[in-house]
Amino acid sequence: MLRGTRRFYEQDIDVKKPYYSRDVTRKVMYNCNFELFSEKSFAADWRDSLYSAMAPNPAKPEELPETCREIIIEYSNHVMKLGYTLVELFSKGLGLKPNHLKEMGCAEGLGILCNYYPKCPQPELALGSSRHADSDFFTVLLQDDIGGLQVLHKNQWVDVPPIHGALIINIGDILQLISNDKYKSVDHRVLANKIGPRISVASFFSTGLLESSRIYGPIEELLSKDNPPKYRATTLKDFFEYSSKKGFDNNSNLSHYKI
Ligand SMILES: O=C(O)CCC(=O)C(=O)O
Ligand SMILES: [Fe+2]
């Protein structure tokens, strides 16, 4: 998958051009700095991204770039299976029946973002990815061996060193919202680096901008007099639109939904 991503980016600009777009309703979209024109983003990020919608309404195979078409389809099939296992574990962790989150549709939507961070001549002046939490239920992240990913833990940035063959699971804002803060989304960022390119593949579990009548609020079974709902309910589309419009500004998107 990492090699497939690299193959895509290292093609001639003319081959990549047809995929270049800032229209977030497209199923396949290649761009750099997708958050650059958001309301509150501070600065451009030192990365390019290729997004592919893979579930529940996947991009047609012929819509995916030829250089990584097969591997994106194969990889996303594996990640979907892993997603179902993870939502079972997340359900159990909340003391709910194992298929609770699956029935809520938490593993129904999948978008794959292939990131390419070119080497940066002055890494002290830039970030690969600005600080953010993901606007989904959870993210399965694959990184190469360059490093640079950090998570915010007790107000300190902590390196997440690459481990060959390992996947990183990040809790996203929506899982925090429905679990009423039992699970916490993690703020993370990626440092720019003099060496590179660095490649990562983030698999986001969410239906994103798709129209859906499903509304997500804190799960009733978790609430009590001592644990009242902390957030108002929302659709995934509304949450995603709000977070995309706001951009990466160091503030949590969840505060907008706080009761
Ligand atoms: O490149 C990474 O390791 C992280 C990417 C990321 O956080 C994202 O795409 O949301
Ligand atoms: Fe992220």
Side-chain angles (χ1 to χ4, degrees), residues 132-134 139 170 188 204:
H132 69 283
D134 295 341
T139 307
N170 281 334
H188 52 286
F204 299 106

PDB file of all heavy atoms in Angstrom, residues 132-134 139 170 188 204, ligand 2:
ATOM      1  N   HIS A 132      -4.545  18.222  14.875  1.00  0.00           N
ATOM      2  CA  HIS A 132      -5.975  17.980  14.661  1.00  0.00           C
ATOM      3  C   HIS A 132      -6.384  16.669  15.311  1.00  0.00           C
ATOM      4  O   HIS A 132      -5.536  15.841  15.648  1.00  0.00           O
ATOM      5  CB  HIS A 132      -6.293  17.925  13.157  1.00  0.00           C
ATOM      6  CG  HIS A 132      -5.724  16.710  12.479  1.00  0.00           C
ATOM      7  ND1 HIS A 132      -4.389  16.595  12.148  1.00  0.00           N
ATOM      8  CD2 HIS A 132      -6.293  15.540  12.102  1.00  0.00           C
ATOM      9  CE1 HIS A 132      -4.164  15.420  11.589  1.00  0.00           C
ATOM     10  NE2 HIS A 132      -5.299  14.743  11.559  1.00  0.00           N
ATOM     11  N   ALA A 133      -7.687  16.486  15.482  1.00  0.00           N
ATOM     12  CA  ALA A 133      -8.231  15.163  15.797  1.00  0.00           C
ATOM     13  C   ALA A 133      -9.065  14.779  14.585  1.00  0.00           C
ATOM     14  O   ALA A 133      -9.579  15.646  13.880  1.00  0.00           O
ATOM     15  CB  ALA A 133      -9.109  15.242  17.043  1.00  0.00           C
ATOM     16  N   ASP A 134      -9.191  13.489  14.287  1.00  0.00           N
ATOM     17  CA  ASP A 134      -9.921  13.079  13.086  1.00  0.00           C
ATOM     18  C   ASP A 134     -11.434  13.199  13.321  1.00  0.00           C
ATOM     19  O   ASP A 134     -11.920  12.905  14.412  1.00  0.00           O
ATOM     20  CB  ASP A 134      -9.534  11.645  12.696  1.00  0.00           C
ATOM     21  CG  ASP A 134      -8.061  11.557  12.291  1.00  0.00           C
ATOM     22  OD1 ASP A 134      -7.470  12.603  11.972  1.00  0.00           O
ATOM     23  OD2 ASP A 134      -7.511  10.432  12.303  1.00  0.00           O
ATOM     24  N   THR A 139      -9.710   5.849  13.141  1.00  0.00           N
ATOM     25  CA  THR A 139      -8.842   5.832  11.957  1.00  0.00           C
ATOM     26  C   THR A 139      -7.804   4.723  12.097  1.00  0.00           C
ATOM     27  O   THR A 139      -7.231   4.552  13.177  1.00  0.00           O
ATOM     28  CB  THR A 139      -8.097   7.183  11.824  1.00  0.00           C
ATOM     29  OG1 THR A 139      -9.051   8.237  11.868  1.00  0.00           O
ATOM     30  CG2 THR A 139      -7.297   7.275  10.541  1.00  0.00           C
ATOM     31  N   ASN A 170      -6.407   5.349  15.827  1.00  0.00           N
ATOM     32  CA  ASN A 170      -6.722   6.626  16.483  1.00  0.00           C
ATOM     33  C   ASN A 170      -8.228   6.747  16.699  1.00  0.00           C
ATOM     34  O   ASN A 170      -9.004   6.520  15.771  1.00  0.00           O
ATOM     35  CB  ASN A 170      -6.273   7.808  15.617  1.00  0.00           C
ATOM     36  CG  ASN A 170      -4.782   8.080  15.730  1.00  0.00           C
ATOM     37  OD1 ASN A 170      -4.168   7.760  16.746  1.00  0.00           O
ATOM     38  ND2 ASN A 170      -4.212   8.666  14.691  1.00  0.00           N
ATOM     39  N   HIS A 188      -3.307  14.895  17.124  1.00  0.00           N
ATOM     40  CA  HIS A 188      -2.029  14.450  16.558  1.00  0.00           C
ATOM     41  C   HIS A 188      -1.558  15.430  15.492  1.00  0.00           C
ATOM     42  O   HIS A 188      -2.317  16.283  15.029  1.00  0.00           O
ATOM     43  CB  HIS A 188      -2.129  13.015  16.022  1.00  0.00           C
ATOM     44  CG  HIS A 188      -3.277  12.778  15.080  1.00  0.00           C
ATOM     45  ND1 HIS A 188      -4.586  12.681  15.476  1.00  0.00           N
ATOM     46  CD2 HIS A 188      -3.307  12.635  13.725  1.00  0.00           C
ATOM     47  CE1 HIS A 188      -5.365  12.465  14.436  1.00  0.00           C
ATOM     48  NE2 HIS A 188      -4.618  12.449  13.354  1.00  0.00           N
ATOM     49  N   PHE A 204     -10.200   6.267   7.226  1.00  0.00           N
ATOM     50  CA  PHE A 204     -11.169   6.927   8.118  1.00  0.00           C
ATOM     51  C   PHE A 204     -12.499   6.180   8.105  1.00  0.00           C
ATOM     52  O   PHE A 204     -13.100   5.996   7.032  1.00  0.00           O
ATOM     53  CB  PHE A 204     -11.428   8.367   7.645  1.00  0.00           C
ATOM     54  CG  PHE A 204     -10.202   9.228   7.638  1.00  0.00           C
ATOM     55  CD1 PHE A 204      -9.596   9.572   6.443  1.00  0.00           C
ATOM     56  CD2 PHE A 204      -9.647   9.693   8.816  1.00  0.00           C
ATOM     57  CE1 PHE A 204      -8.464  10.367   6.419  1.00  0.00           C
ATOM     58  CE2 PHE A 204      -8.516  10.501   8.814  1.00  0.00           C
ATOM     59  CZ  PHE A 204      -7.929  10.827   7.613  1.00  0.00           C
TER      60      PHE A 204
HETATM   61 FE    FE B   2      -5.354  12.609  11.386  1.00  0.00          FE
END
